[in-house]
Amino acid sequence: MFLAGSSAGAHLSAMVALTSDDPTSMAGVIGLGGYYGEGPRTSPLAHVRRDAPPSSTPSRRSAR
């Protein structure tokens, strides 16, 4: 299963994938233009770990 979302959905998809008890149950995450926050509890970046599913977060800058 892939999780995908745009804006707040991208943030929520990343949080679900990175805080799951079984990260291998997800094939990957695609976040479109999400805000990934700051702080240890609200930022998906604070939950990154070795066994996290692959993710892609394309932005307008990468499309140019």
Side-chain angles (χ1 to χ4, degrees):
M1 167 175 52
F2 279 89
L3 296 175
S6 174
S7 192
H11 175 90
L12 293 172
S13 295
M15 286 298 287
V16 167
L18 294 171
T19 59
S20 171
D21 290 335
D22 182 14
T24 61
S25 65
M26 284 161 259
V29 178
I30 302 167
L32 303 171
Y35 175 71
Y36 298 102
E38 298 175 11
R41 296 190 70 204
T42 60
S43 174
L45 300 176
H47 298 280
V48 173
R49 56 190 196 208
R50 285 191 184 273
D51 61 348
S55 64
S56 175
T57 54
S59 68
R60 289 185 206 167
R61 289 182 186 171
S62 65
R64 291 184 182 170

